[in-house]
Amino acid sequence: MSDQAATADIDSRLEGHRVELTGYCYRMLGSAFEAEDAVQDTLVRAWRSFDKFEGRSSLRSWLYRIATNVCLDMLKAGNKRARPVDLTGPTPLAQAALNPLPENTWLEPVPDGRILPSVADPAEAAVARESVRLAFVAALQHLPPKQRAVLILREVLAWRASEVAELLDTSVASVNSALQRARATLADTDSSAPDTANPLDEEQRKLLDRYVAAFEGYDMAALTALLHEDAVMTMPPFDLWLRGHDDITGFMLSIGASCAGSRLLATVANGTPAFAQYKPDPDGRGLVPWAVQVIDISDGAISGMHCFLDTPRWFPLFEFPDRLDDAAS
């Protein structure tokens, strides 16, 4: 094999693991962009030392070892990402104020296609989707980094304890102990996931169709009928979050009134339905990016509207246009 062909072969073999490694690093770090940086670093390190890879483990295991070390190094600063609901209690509408916090405070959304590789086993696919839901990834942030790695490798990726012990240069007993402690911590954390089906069942598709119609029509009575009584609305980078349809719709008619006339384009994020929201451009015709909405469905109703407002970051990641003209909308 020529040097050029050998190089292309190595590139192809490494690149074939990018999506699953990004999913792993995202669960570890809680950031779509940090996960992609971590994977790029992993693949560069693997490329530079590929001649030292002797095949004593699988290429996949070797890459996970490198990725784990990269993530553990990145987590040494101690920062853990969160949702607004993890930091404060709900804010009554009468006290609502928009206070932004730094970008590295927040758990970030991520398109499914960047973190969920195609798998044939429906059960395996379901576990993968559940493990990237915002609530679950937020719960992982409460774990010390090595416990986080153990839990993901054992319970999400179904590695054997002996494989994890080898990856972390520790004993099987230590892995099992770390897993028990991680499970105990998660049991005390609100990591309950919405019951969104994949693919969406007929009732959930109809619910989302009605949600789009209500939101785009800015019909608060129709929206109220779709919201769970304990529905929450979050808006990173603001620490404010609201609970209950009265406060949510009240906010939309007051502080959020400029969202009237918005349009929603469907996508998927974190294993759940999502929308790119465009609102009318105050300076002219057409609509401009406003939020990526990640939607939770529970018990046949909308239970969460998680609106990520840093659109210069999110819209390119989700490959949405930077504006809609009136005809397109």
Coordinates of all heavy atoms in Angstrom, one line a residue, residues 102-175:
P102 N -22.7 33.6 32.2 CA -21.7 33.3 31.2 C -22.0 32.0 30.4 O -22.7 31.1 30.9 CB -20.4 33.1 32.0 CG -20.6 33.9 33.2 CD -22.1 33.8 33.5
E103 N -21.6 31.9 29.2 CA -21.9 30.8 28.3 C -21.5 29.5 28.9 O -22.2 28.5 28.8 CB -21.1 31.0 27.0 CG -21.1 29.8 26.0 CD -20.0 28.8 26.3 OE1 -18.9 29.3 26.6 OE2 -20.3 27.6 26.2
N104 N -20.4 29.4 29.6 CA -19.9 28.1 30.2 C -20.7 27.7 31.4 O -20.4 26.6 32.0 CB -18.4 28.2 30.5 CG -18.1 29.1 31.6 OD1 -18.9 29.8 32.2 ND2 -16.8 29.3 31.9
T105 N -21.7 28.4 31.8 CA -22.7 28.0 32.8 C -23.6 26.9 32.3 O -24.0 26.0 33.1 CB -23.5 29.2 33.3 OG1 -22.7 30.2 33.7 CG2 -24.4 28.8 34.4
W106 N -23.9 27.0 31.0 CA -25.1 26.3 30.6 C -24.8 24.9 29.8 O -23.9 24.8 29.0 CB -25.9 27.2 29.6 CG -26.3 28.5 30.3 CD1 -25.9 29.7 29.9 CD2 -27.1 28.6 31.4 NE1 -26.4 30.6 30.7 CE2 -27.2 30.0 31.7 CE3 -27.8 27.7 32.2 CZ2 -27.9 30.5 32.8 CZ3 -28.5 28.2 33.3 CH2 -28.6 29.6 33.6
L107 N -25.7 24.0 30.2 CA -25.8 22.8 29.3 C -26.2 23.2 28.0 O -27.1 24.0 27.8 CB -26.8 21.8 30.0 CG -26.9 20.4 29.4 CD1 -25.7 19.6 29.6 CD2 -28.2 19.7 30.0
E108 N -25.6 22.6 26.9 CA -25.9 23.0 25.6 C -26.7 22.0 24.8 O -26.5 20.8 25.0 CB -24.6 23.3 24.8 CG -23.8 24.4 25.5 CD -22.5 24.7 24.7 OE1 -22.1 23.8 23.9 OE2 -21.9 25.8 25.0
P109 N -27.5 22.4 23.8 CA -28.2 21.5 23.0 C -27.3 21.0 21.9 O -26.3 21.6 21.6 CB -29.4 22.3 22.4 CG -28.8 23.7 22.3 CD -27.9 23.8 23.5
V110 N -27.6 19.9 21.2 CA -26.8 19.3 20.2 C -27.7 18.6 19.2 O -28.6 17.9 19.6 CB -25.7 18.4 20.7 CG1 -26.3 17.2 21.4 CG2 -24.7 18.0 19.6
P111 N -27.5 18.7 17.9 CA -28.3 18.0 16.9 C -28.0 16.5 17.0 O -26.9 16.0 17.3 CB -27.7 18.5 15.5 CG -27.0 19.7 15.8 CD -26.5 19.6 17.2
D112 N -29.1 15.7 16.9 CA -29.0 14.2 17.0 C -27.9 13.7 16.1 O -27.2 12.8 16.4 CB -30.3 13.6 16.7 CG -31.3 13.7 17.9 OD1 -31.0 14.4 18.9 OD2 -32.3 13.0 17.9
G113 N -27.9 14.2 14.9 CA -27.0 13.6 13.9 C -25.5 13.7 14.2 O -24.7 13.0 13.7
R114 N -25.2 14.6 15.1 CA -23.7 14.8 15.5 C -23.3 13.9 16.6 O -22.1 13.7 16.9 CB -23.5 16.2 15.9 CG -23.5 17.2 14.7 CD -23.2 18.6 15.1 NE -23.2 19.6 14.0 CZ -22.2 20.0 13.4 NH1 -21.0 19.6 13.7 NH2 -22.3 20.8 12.4
I115 N -24.3 13.2 17.3 CA -23.9 12.5 18.5 C -24.5 11.1 18.5 O -24.1 10.3 19.4 CB -24.3 13.2 19.8 CG1 -25.8 13.5 19.8 CG2 -23.5 14.4 20.0 CD1 -26.3 14.0 21.1
L116 N -25.5 10.7 17.7 CA -26.1 9.4 17.7 C -25.8 8.7 16.4 O -26.5 8.9 15.4 CB -27.6 9.6 17.9 CG -28.1 10.2 19.2 CD1 -29.6 10.4 19.2 CD2 -27.6 9.4 20.4
P117 N -24.9 7.7 16.5 CA -24.6 7.0 15.3 C -25.8 6.0 15.0 O -26.6 5.7 15.8 CB -23.4 6.2 15.7 CG -23.4 6.1 17.2 CD -24.0 7.4 17.6
S118 N -25.9 5.6 13.7 CA -27.0 4.7 13.3 C -26.6 3.3 13.9 O -25.5 2.8 13.7 CB -27.0 4.7 11.8 OG -27.4 5.9 11.3
V119 N -27.6 2.7 14.5 CA -27.5 1.4 15.0 C -28.7 0.6 14.7 O -29.8 1.1 14.5 CB -27.3 1.4 16.6 CG1 -26.0 2.0 17.0 CG2 -28.4 2.0 17.3
A120 N -28.5 -0.7 14.5 CA -29.6 -1.6 14.0 C -30.5 -2.0 15.1 O -31.7 -2.3 14.9 CB -29.0 -2.8 13.3
D121 N -30.0 -2.1 16.3 CA -30.8 -2.6 17.5 C -31.6 -1.5 18.1 O -31.1 -0.5 18.6 CB -29.8 -3.1 18.6 CG -30.5 -3.7 19.7 OD1 -31.7 -3.6 19.8 OD2 -29.8 -4.3 20.6
P122 N -33.0 -1.6 18.0 CA -33.9 -0.6 18.5 C -33.7 -0.3 20.0 O -33.7 0.9 20.4 CB -35.3 -1.1 18.2 CG -35.1 -2.1 17.1 CD -33.7 -2.7 17.4
A123 N -33.4 -1.3 20.8 CA -33.2 -1.1 22.2 C -31.9 -0.3 22.4 O -31.9 0.6 23.3 CB -33.1 -2.5 22.9
E124 N -30.8 -0.6 21.7 CA -29.6 0.1 21.8 C -29.8 1.6 21.4 O -29.3 2.5 22.1 CB -28.5 -0.5 21.0 CG -27.2 0.1 21.1 CD -26.1 -0.6 20.2 OE1 -26.4 -1.7 19.8 OE2 -25.1 0.0 20.0
A125 N -30.6 1.8 20.3 CA -30.9 3.2 19.9 C -31.7 3.9 20.9 O -31.4 5.1 21.2 CB -31.6 3.1 18.6
A126 N -32.6 3.3 21.6 CA -33.4 3.9 22.6 C -32.6 4.3 23.8 O -32.7 5.5 24.3 CB -34.5 3.0 23.1
V127 N -31.7 3.5 24.2 CA -30.8 3.8 25.3 C -29.9 5.0 25.0 O -29.7 6.0 25.8 CB -29.9 2.6 25.7 CG1 -28.8 3.1 26.7 CG2 -30.7 1.5 26.4
A128 N -29.4 5.0 23.7 CA -28.6 6.2 23.3 C -29.3 7.5 23.3 O -28.8 8.5 23.8 CB -28.0 5.9 21.9
R129 N -30.6 7.4 22.8 CA -31.4 8.7 22.8 C -31.7 9.1 24.2 O -31.6 10.3 24.5 CB -32.7 8.4 22.1 CG -32.6 8.4 20.6 CD -33.9 8.5 19.9 NE -34.8 7.4 20.3 CZ -34.9 6.2 19.7 NH1 -34.1 5.9 18.7 NH2 -35.7 5.3 20.2
E130 N -32.1 8.2 25.1 CA -32.4 8.6 26.5 C -31.2 9.2 27.2 O -31.4 10.1 28.0 CB -32.9 7.4 27.3 CG -34.2 6.8 26.8 CD -35.4 7.7 27.1 OE1 -35.3 8.4 28.2 OE2 -36.3 7.7 26.4
S131 N -30.0 8.7 26.8 CA -28.8 9.2 27.5 C -28.3 10.5 27.1 O -27.3 11.0 27.6 CB -27.7 8.1 27.4 OG -27.3 8.0 26.1
V132 N -28.9 11.1 26.0 CA -28.5 12.5 25.6 C -29.6 13.5 25.9 O -29.5 14.7 25.5 CB -28.1 12.5 24.1 CG1 -26.8 11.7 23.9 CG2 -29.2 12.1 23.2
R133 N -30.7 13.1 26.5 CA -31.8 14.0 26.9 C -31.2 15.0 27.9 O -30.3 14.7 28.7 CB -32.9 13.3 27.6 CG -33.6 12.2 26.7 CD -34.5 12.9 25.7 NE -35.1 11.9 24.7 CZ -36.1 11.1 24.9 NH1 -36.8 11.2 26.0 NH2 -36.5 10.3 23.9
L134 N -31.7 16.2 27.8 CA -31.1 17.3 28.6 C -31.1 17.0 30.1 O -30.1 17.3 30.8 CB -31.9 18.6 28.3 CG -31.7 19.3 27.0 CD1 -32.7 20.4 26.8 CD2 -30.3 19.8 26.8
A135 N -32.2 16.4 30.6 CA -32.3 16.1 32.0 C -31.2 15.1 32.4 O -30.6 15.2 33.5 CB -33.7 15.5 32.3
F136 N -31.0 14.1 31.6 CA -30.0 13.1 31.9 C -28.6 13.6 31.9 O -27.8 13.4 32.8 CB -30.1 11.8 31.0 CG -29.2 10.7 31.4 CD1 -29.6 9.9 32.5 CD2 -28.0 10.5 30.7 CE1 -28.7 8.8 32.8 CE2 -27.2 9.4 31.1 CZ -27.5 8.6 32.1
V137 N -28.3 14.4 30.8 CA -26.9 15.0 30.7 C -26.7 15.9 31.9 O -25.6 16.0 32.4 CB -26.7 15.6 29.4 CG1 -25.3 16.2 29.3 CG2 -26.9 14.6 28.3
A138 N -27.8 16.7 32.3 CA -27.6 17.6 33.4 C -27.3 16.8 34.7 O -26.5 17.2 35.5 CB -28.9 18.4 33.6
A139 N -28.0 15.6 34.9 CA -27.8 14.8 36.0 C -26.3 14.3 36.1 O -25.7 14.2 37.1 CB -28.8 13.7 36.1
L140 N -25.8 13.9 34.9 CA -24.4 13.5 34.8 C -23.4 14.5 35.3 O -22.4 14.1 35.9 CB -24.0 13.1 33.4 CG -24.7 11.9 32.8 CD1 -24.3 11.8 31.3 CD2 -24.3 10.6 33.5
Q141 N -23.8 15.8 35.2 CA -22.8 16.8 35.6 C -22.7 16.9 37.1 O -21.7 17.5 37.6 CB -23.3 18.2 35.1 CG -23.6 18.3 33.6 CD -22.4 17.9 32.8 OE1 -21.4 18.5 32.9 NE2 -22.6 16.9 32.0
H142 N -23.5 16.2 37.9 CA -23.4 16.1 39.3 C -22.4 15.1 39.8 O -22.0 15.0 40.9 CB -24.7 15.8 40.0 CG -25.7 16.9 39.9 ND1 -25.8 18.0 40.7 CD2 -26.7 17.1 38.9 CE1 -26.8 18.8 40.4 NE2 -27.3 18.3 39.3
L143 N -21.9 14.2 38.8 CA -21.0 13.2 39.2 C -19.5 13.7 39.0 O -19.2 14.4 38.1 CB -21.2 12.0 38.2 CG -22.5 11.3 38.2 CD1 -22.6 10.2 37.2 CD2 -22.9 10.8 39.6
P144 N -18.6 13.2 39.9 CA -17.2 13.5 39.6 C -16.8 12.9 38.3 O -17.4 11.9 37.8 CB -16.5 12.7 40.8 CG -17.5 12.6 41.8 CD -18.8 12.4 41.1
P145 N -15.8 13.5 37.6 CA -15.5 13.1 36.2 C -15.3 11.6 36.0 O -15.8 11.0 35.0 CB -14.3 13.9 35.9 CG -14.5 15.1 36.7 CD -15.1 14.7 38.0
K146 N -14.5 10.9 36.9 CA -14.3 9.5 36.7 C -15.5 8.7 36.9 O -15.8 7.7 36.1 CB -13.1 9.0 37.5 CG -11.8 9.5 37.0 CD -10.6 8.7 37.7 CE -9.3 9.1 37.0 NZ -8.1 8.4 37.6
Q147 N -16.4 9.0 37.8 CA -17.6 8.3 38.0 C -18.5 8.5 36.8 O -19.2 7.6 36.3 CB -18.4 8.8 39.3 CG -17.8 8.3 40.6 CD -18.7 8.7 41.7 OE1 -19.9 8.9 41.6 NE2 -18.1 8.9 42.9
R148 N -18.5 9.7 36.2 CA -19.3 10.0 35.0 C -18.8 9.1 33.9 O -19.7 8.5 33.2 CB -19.0 11.5 34.7 CG -20.1 12.1 33.8 CD -19.7 13.6 33.5 NE -19.5 14.4 34.7 CZ -19.1 15.7 34.7 NH1 -19.0 16.3 33.6 NH2 -19.0 16.3 35.9
A149 N -17.5 9.0 33.7 CA -17.0 8.1 32.7 C -17.4 6.7 32.9 O -17.9 6.0 32.0 CB -15.5 8.2 32.6
V150 N -17.3 6.2 34.1 CA -17.7 4.8 34.4 C -19.2 4.6 34.1 O -19.5 3.6 33.5 CB -17.4 4.5 35.9 CG1 -18.1 3.2 36.3 CG2 -15.9 4.4 36.2
L151 N -20.0 5.5 34.6 CA -21.5 5.3 34.4 C -21.8 5.3 32.9 O -22.6 4.4 32.4 CB -22.3 6.3 35.1 CG -23.8 6.1 35.0 CD1 -24.4 6.1 36.4 CD2 -24.5 7.1 34.1
I152 N -21.2 6.2 32.1 CA -21.5 6.2 30.7 C -21.0 5.0 30.0 O -21.7 4.3 29.2 CB -20.9 7.5 30.0 CG1 -21.5 8.8 30.6 CG2 -21.1 7.5 28.5 CD1 -20.7 10.0 30.3
L153 N -19.8 4.6 30.3 CA -19.2 3.4 29.6 C -20.0 2.1 30.0 O -20.2 1.3 29.1 CB -17.7 3.3 30.0 CG -16.8 4.3 29.4 CD1 -15.5 4.3 30.1 CD2 -16.7 4.2 27.9
R154 N -20.3 2.0 31.3 CA -21.0 0.8 31.7 C -22.5 0.7 31.3 O -23.0 -0.3 30.8 CB -20.9 0.6 33.2 CG -19.5 0.3 33.7 CD -19.1 -1.2 33.5 NE -19.7 -2.0 34.5 CZ -20.6 -3.0 34.2 NH1 -20.9 -3.3 32.9 NH2 -21.1 -3.7 35.1
E155 N -23.2 1.8 31.6 CA -24.7 1.7 31.5 C -25.2 2.3 30.2 O -26.3 1.9 29.8 CB -25.3 2.5 32.7 CG -24.9 1.9 34.0 CD -26.0 1.9 35.0 OE1 -26.9 2.8 35.0 OE2 -26.1 0.9 35.8
V156 N -24.5 3.1 29.5 CA -24.9 3.7 28.2 C -24.3 2.8 27.1 O -25.0 2.4 26.2 CB -24.6 5.2 28.1 CG1 -25.0 5.6 26.7 CG2 -25.3 6.0 29.2
L157 N -23.0 2.6 27.2 CA -22.3 2.0 26.1 C -22.1 0.5 26.3 O -21.6 -0.2 25.4 CB -20.9 2.6 25.9 CG -21.0 4.1 25.5 CD1 -19.6 4.7 25.4 CD2 -21.8 4.4 24.2
A158 N -22.6 0.0 27.5 CA -22.6 -1.4 27.8 C -21.2 -2.1 27.7 O -21.1 -3.3 27.3 CB -23.6 -2.2 26.9
W159 N -20.2 -1.4 28.2 CA -18.9 -2.0 28.3 C -18.9 -2.9 29.5 O -19.6 -2.7 30.5 CB -17.8 -0.9 28.5 CG -17.5 -0.2 27.2 CD1 -18.3 0.2 26.2 CD2 -16.2 0.3 26.8 NE1 -17.7 0.9 25.2 CE2 -16.3 0.9 25.6 CE3 -14.9 0.2 27.4 CZ2 -15.3 1.5 24.9 CZ3 -13.8 0.8 26.7 CH2 -14.0 1.4 25.5
R160 N -18.0 -4.0 29.5 CA -17.9 -4.8 30.7 C -17.0 -4.1 31.7 O -16.2 -3.2 31.3 CB -17.2 -6.1 30.3 CG -18.1 -7.0 29.4 CD -17.5 -8.4 29.2 NE -16.1 -8.3 28.6 CZ -16.0 -8.4 27.2 NH1 -17.0 -8.5 26.4 NH2 -14.7 -8.3 26.7
A161 N -17.2 -4.4 33.0 CA -16.4 -3.8 34.0 C -14.9 -4.0 33.8 O -14.1 -3.1 34.0 CB -16.8 -4.4 35.4
S162 N -14.5 -5.1 33.3 CA -13.1 -5.4 33.0 C -12.5 -4.4 31.9 O -11.4 -4.0 32.0 CB -12.8 -6.8 32.6 OG -13.6 -7.2 31.5
E163 N -13.4 -4.1 30.9 CA -13.0 -3.2 29.8 C -12.8 -1.8 30.4 O -11.8 -1.1 30.0 CB -14.0 -3.3 28.7 CG -14.1 -4.6 28.0 CD -15.2 -4.6 27.0 OE1 -16.3 -4.1 27.3 OE2 -15.0 -5.1 25.9
V164 N -13.7 -1.4 31.2 CA -13.6 0.0 31.8 C -12.4 0.1 32.7 O -11.7 1.1 32.7 CB -14.9 0.3 32.6 CG1 -14.8 1.7 33.2 CG2 -16.1 0.3 31.6
A165 N -12.2 -1.0 33.5 CA -11.0 -1.0 34.4 C -9.7 -0.8 33.6 O -8.8 -0.1 34.0 CB -11.0 -2.3 35.2
E166 N -9.6 -1.5 32.5 CA -8.4 -1.4 31.6 C -8.3 0.0 31.0 O -7.2 0.5 31.0 CB -8.5 -2.5 30.5 CG -7.3 -2.5 29.6 CD -7.3 -3.5 28.5 OE1 -8.3 -4.3 28.5 OE2 -6.4 -3.6 27.7
L167 N -9.4 0.5 30.6 CA -9.4 1.9 30.0 C -8.9 2.9 31.0 O -8.1 3.8 30.7 CB -10.8 2.2 29.5 CG -10.9 3.6 28.8 CD1 -11.9 3.5 27.6 CD2 -11.4 4.7 29.8
L168 N -9.4 2.8 32.3 CA -9.1 3.8 33.3 C -7.8 3.4 34.2 O -7.5 4.1 35.1 CB -10.3 3.9 34.2 CG -11.5 4.6 33.6 CD1 -12.7 4.5 34.6 CD2 -11.3 6.0 33.1
D169 N -7.2 2.3 33.8 CA -6.0 1.8 34.5 C -6.3 1.7 36.0 O -5.6 2.2 36.9 CB -4.8 2.8 34.4 CG -4.3 2.8 33.0 OD1 -4.2 1.7 32.4 OD2 -3.9 3.9 32.5
T170 N -7.4 1.0 36.3 CA -7.8 0.7 37.7 C -8.3 -0.7 37.8 O -8.2 -1.5 36.8 CB -8.9 1.7 38.1 OG1 -9.1 1.6 39.5 CG2 -10.2 1.5 37.3
S171 N -8.9 -1.1 38.9 CA -9.4 -2.4 39.1 C -10.9 -2.6 38.9 O -11.6 -1.6 38.9 CB -9.1 -2.9 40.6 OG -9.9 -2.1 41.5
V172 N -11.3 -3.8 38.6 CA -12.7 -4.1 38.5 C -13.5 -3.7 39.7 O -14.6 -3.1 39.6 CB -13.0 -5.6 38.1 CG1 -14.5 -5.9 38.2 CG2 -12.4 -5.9 36.7
A173 N -12.9 -3.9 40.9 CA -13.6 -3.5 42.1 C -13.8 -2.0 42.2 O -14.9 -1.6 42.6 CB -12.8 -4.0 43.3
S174 N -12.8 -1.3 41.8 CA -12.9 0.2 41.8 C -14.0 0.7 40.8 O -14.8 1.6 41.1 CB -11.6 0.8 41.5 OG -10.6 0.6 42.5
V175 N -14.1 0.0 39.7 CA -15.1 0.4 38.7 C -16.5 0.1 39.2 O -17.4 0.9 39.1 CB -14.9 -0.4 37.4 CG1 -16.1 -0.3 36.4 CG2 -13.6 0.1 36.6

